[in-house]
Amino acid sequence: MKVFQTALIMFVIVALCAAGCTEAAPGDSTSSAPFWAKETTQPSEPTAAPTTLSEYVSPATPRTVETGTPPAQAREIPEQQLSPDYPIVLIDRIDFTEGPRAWTINATHPPMVVEYVVTPKTVTFEDAYYSSYGDKDLVVTTRTRYDDNSFVEVTVYDENGEIVTQDGFSSTGKYDRGTEKELIVLRGGTYQVDIHGVAAAVDLTVRVGSIDGLPEVAV
């Protein structure tokens, strides 16, 4: 009996030693998590897909940027907008790291209102100067400004490829720094809306004249 008990004790000791010497699974040796636990990365929030009313909007090929175009015909969006009741047929956010964008708009029922909000790229820099008070110490402040390369151009073409209206945003150069504008086309027809830009993003909304039974794009 003593021999059996001694053998049983030895078996238990050997089993415990073997369990303690088992090789750990590859991974971070400092982690307290069991080897079967896998680290997961929180998925990034997906970019909202553009919303269009396909009966009135279709993708188009952006035209080549032209020179010597007509003067800007857009206006700043007033606080009391004139087109809140016009049905929305297109909503999109354009990041110009993806290149220019264009759409064909069926605006049989005018007006067509193209509203856009520009978010220019910004740069941060330090501004140093000597204080005019006391010991005239050197003062360094951090400032932010629009990137000099930030540029956006929105153009509406008619069916013949002629520019109907055009405006945009630029830190320095062709356009002013207004970031919220709208282009209005009063004559009905089929138009192409092009957007070109650099170092900026644009939130675009296109509306057309009220049409009985026309469902508005869900926002």
Side-chain angles (χ1 to χ4, degrees), residues 49-208:
T51 308
T52 64
L53 201 59
S54 59
E55 182 180 354
Y56 294 88
V57 181
S58 59
T61 302
R63 297 177 182 273
T64 303
V65 177
E66 302 176 15
T67 58
T69 52
Q73 299 180 41
R75 63 190 181 96
E76 298 288 340
I77 297 178
E79 292 184 6
Q80 181 63 38
Q81 298 188 21
L82 301 179
S83 57
D85 297 327
Y86 294 154
I88 297 172
V89 295
L90 170 63
I91 299 175
D92 202 353
R93 180 174 177 82
I94 302 95
D95 184 340
F96 291 113
T97 58
E98 303 170 359
R101 301 284 296 279
W103 303 263
T104 299
I105 310 292
N106 176 6
T108 305
H109 298 266
M112 180 179 74
V113 182
V114 180
E115 301 171 345
Y116 61 95
V117 179
V118 179
T119 303
K121 181 180 178 180
T122 58
V123 294
T124 301
F125 64 98
E126 291 185 342
D127 186 14
Y129 60 93
Y130 285 97
S131 172
S132 58
Y133 301 97
D135 296 332
K136 302 187 182 304
D137 295 332
L138 179 65
V139 179
V140 179
T141 59
T142 300
R143 301 179 184 273
T144 301
R145 61 173 174 79
Y146 292 149
D147 188 321
D148 289 342
N149 295 317
S150 292
F151 177 81
V152 172
E153 186 169 73
V154 182
T155 307
V156 178
Y157 297 92
D158 64 17
E159 293 180 281
N160 299 319
E162 300 294 329
I163 295 177
V164 177
T165 181
Q166 181 183 62
D167 201 3
F169 166 93
S170 58
S171 294
T172 57
K174 185 174 181 180
Y175 300 111
D176 61 32
R177 294 189 176 194
T179 57
E180 299 185 26
K181 294 182 180 179
E182 64 180 12
L183 297 166
I184 300 177
V185 178
L186 299 177
R187 180 178 298 176
T190 301
Y191 298 94
Q192 179 167 317
V193 177
D194 280 30
I195 299 185
H196 297 263
V198 178
V202 172
D203 290 288
L204 175 75
T205 302
V206 178
R207 303 171 184 265
V208 297

